[in-house]
Structure formats: structure tokens, C-alpha cells
Amino acid sequence: MIAMELQKWILCFTFIVFHFAGLCAETQDSDLDLADGGDIQNELGASFPPLESPPVHFATENNTVVTAQTGSTALLPCVINNIGDGTVSWIRRKDYYQLLTVGLTTYSSDDRFQTIHLQHSEDWTLQIKFVQQRDAGMYECQVSSHPSTSIFVQLNVVEARADIEGPSEKYLKPGSGLRLQCTVLQSTEPPAYVFWYHNNRMINYDVDRGINVTTELSEKSSTLTITNAATRHSGNYSCFPSNAQGASTYVHILNGENPAAMQHGGRGLSWLQCSPSSWLLIAFSLIVLMC
């Protein structure tokens, strides 16, 4: 009995082993068939075109205009999308073709020119330090793609200057109030400070002399006020912003003088206001000359 049972188990085990061996063989044949089929498809010429890179695109608008004042730093923008392996160059287009920068390397002998670019950014800004009037003109931002493509940026340079409102000479009576307003014109940025001078003395903090200065840097404006003007307040007043040419005006405290005579420096028709004795002396001199 035991022998028969053992023989049954051996036969079952043998059957299971051969069954699984057959399944593995069929799986391998199926894989080979699929592989052969793939080769056949490839041999039939099934191919896929390579992925094309998107074209270079300038996010900065062509013919952008940038205005900078003399002495400041000008930033000419050039934002480029999909640059790929292209190289960015900045070129000055004036009366001649001048290569300024290639990549981050400056080729110009003028080291005021430099390309500003952060790694992985799309911004290739041209920086010009200490701008001068001769820097005004057209600049080209070019990408060395195939074919090369570019945009143009126009740089305008202005001369910032201060202006004191009103005539260049002002006339006041003693005890009157004086108000001088200095405004910075043609400035692309506010000044860091505005200094006021009376003749050669800086007076921004001369409160004890009756002078008060209020400056609004964001408004590019500064105001000097004197509540009770005296003869000591006569003289030349000048305002000097940090980033602009200064302006000046002359203040006269009359103290009884004739403004018309002062405007002509004491000359003009003021000689007509002579005393009777002076007139007699003048007449006698004329008679002597005529004889």
C-alpha cells in the first residue's frame, strides 16, 4: 500500500514539473515572436522624426527706448526665450559696427560696458556705467542662432539740471518772507540730496539764522524759506542736487533802495535824481567847456 502511494506522489510531482516547463517554453517563444515582429516593423521603415527645438523668441520688444541721464548707469534690456546653444552679443550701431560683448566677455576697450546675466535666467542686459552724451544711439542684441536673429534698443541721454522758480533776481523789503523752490528737471532718478548755498556758505541747517530747508527727494524738489528777511539775507542763493547741474538766483533786500536803479547797477536814468547843488555844478562845468 505504502509503495503504491509513494508511486502516485512521484507521478504527480513529475507531471507538475513537466507542465511548468512547457509553460516557460511557450512564454519564451512568445517573447521571441514579439521581438521578431518589432524587428520586422523596424525593417519596414517605421521611423520617428527628431524633436525640433522651439525657435528663439525675444521677450523684449524691438526698438525699445531707454532714457538715462549723464553720470548714471543705463540698463538696456534683452530677454530671450528658447536660446538653446545660441550666444548673445551686444553691438553698437552708430556710424560704425562696434562689437561690445559676446556672452559675458567684454570686447570693447571701454570697460564701462558689461553684460549682466544670472545663470539659468533669460535676461542678457547690457549695463553702461557713468553714461555720457556720446553713448546715445542704437544698440543691437543679437543671438547666434541659425539664422542669427536680433532686436534693437535705442538709448537716449539727457542732462539733468536744477531750476529755481521765478526771475534770476528777486527784490524784497526787509521783514518780507522769502521762498525759493528748486526742482530737478530731466532727471531719470531722484537725487540723493540737495544742498543750498548762500554765497559760499552751505545753509541747509542754518535754522538759527532764520533759514529753513525742506527737501522731498522722491518729488525731486527742495524749498528754502525765510520768514523775516533782513539785509544779511541778501546775496546769491544756489541749489545743487547730487545728480544734476545746479541753479542760482540773486536776492536783493531793498532797505529803501530803488529797485529800478538796482536792476541797472545804479546806472541808467538814476543820474537824473541829482540835488539842486549838483545841477548848478553840472551847468557851470558845461559853460566852462563851451567857453
Side-chain angles (χ1 to χ4, degrees):
M1 250 342 248
I2 294 174
M4 290 180 66
E5 289 292 332
L6 182 60
Q7 187 175 8
K8 280 169 135 188
W9 279 107
I10 291 172
L11 288 173
C12 289
F13 180 77
T14 303
F15 174 80
I16 292 171
V17 168
F18 278 102
H19 179 72
F20 276 102
L23 288 175
C24 290
E26 290 178 4
T27 302
Q28 290 178 356
D29 290 339
S30 299
D31 292 341
L32 289 174
D33 290 338
L34 289 173
D36 291 340
D39 291 339
I40 291 171
Q41 287 181 359
N42 289 335
E43 290 174 0
L44 290 175
S47 60
F48 300 95
L51 295 176
E52 293 184 0
S53 300
V56 174
H57 173 261
F58 286 94
T60 301
E61 186 177 353
N62 191 25
N63 294 319
T64 294
V65 177
V66 174
T67 302
Q69 68 185 68
T70 54
S72 67
T73 298
L75 299 174
L76 277 58
C78 187
V79 179
I80 309 167
N81 306 134
N82 311 321
I83 189 173
D85 296 329
T87 302
V88 178
S89 302
W90 275 99
I91 302 156
R92 185 169 186 191
R93 306 296 293 269
K94 202 172 182 181
D95 298 331
Y96 51 88
Y97 180 98
Q98 181 185 5
L99 180 63
L100 300 175
T101 65
V102 176
L104 297 178
T105 304
T106 299
Y107 281 83
S108 172
S109 57
D110 191 341
D111 59 3
R112 296 181 302 121
F113 294 91
Q114 180 184 2
T115 295
I116 305 299
H117 172 72
L118 298 178
Q119 189 176 11
H120 304 306
S121 77
E122 298 179 323
D123 190 352
W124 297 82
T125 295
L126 179 66
Q127 174 182 272
I128 309 175
K129 296 180 180 178
F130 312 112
V131 171
Q132 304 171 14
Q133 285 285 352
R134 60 185 176 88
D135 296 326
M138 190 70 72
Y139 292 79
E140 179 182 358
C141 178
Q142 183 183 96
V143 179
S144 62
S145 55
H146 299 287
S148 62
T149 182
S150 61
I151 62 168
F152 294 90
V153 179
Q154 172 70 34
L155 174 63
N156 294 334
V157 180
V158 296
E159 184 78 29
R161 60 181 181 84
D163 177 71
I164 297 178
E165 292 183 359
S168 60
E169 293 192 51
K170 297 173 174 58
Y171 299 88
L172 298 174
K173 294 180 180 180
S176 300
L178 173 65
R179 183 179 184 274
L180 301 177
Q181 182 165 348
C182 175
T183 305
V184 185
L185 305 178
Q186 296 189 144
S187 174
T188 59
E189 56 193 35
Y193 57 82
V194 178
F195 287 157
W196 282 91
Y197 290 85
H198 178 214
N199 297 325
N200 295 321
R201 175 189 174 93
M202 202 268 280
I203 56 174
N204 281 53
Y205 310 104
D206 281 7
V207 180
D208 57 339
R209 299 178 69 237
I211 300 173
N212 183 56
V213 173
T214 304
T215 302
E216 297 289 341
L217 295 178
S218 60
E219 300 296 327
K220 306 176 186 177
S221 176
S222 182
T223 304
L224 181 149
T225 55
I226 299 175
T227 305
N228 188 14
T231 53
R232 69 176 183 274
H233 294 129
S234 295
N236 186 72
Y237 286 83
S238 304
C239 69
F240 286 94
S242 63
N243 61 346
Q245 293 182 353
S248 63
T249 187
Y250 201 95
V251 176
H252 300 274
I253 307 299
L254 298 180
N255 198 20
E257 292 95 339
N258 185 350
M262 295 182 66
Q263 288 179 6
H264 292 84
R267 299 185 298 274
L269 299 178
S270 60
W271 62 274
L272 294 174
Q273 301 174 355
C274 297
S275 62
S277 59
S278 297
W279 274 112
L280 289 174
L281 180 61
I282 293 172
F284 179 75
S285 300
L286 290 173
I287 292 171
V288 171
L289 290 173
M290 291 175 66
C291 295

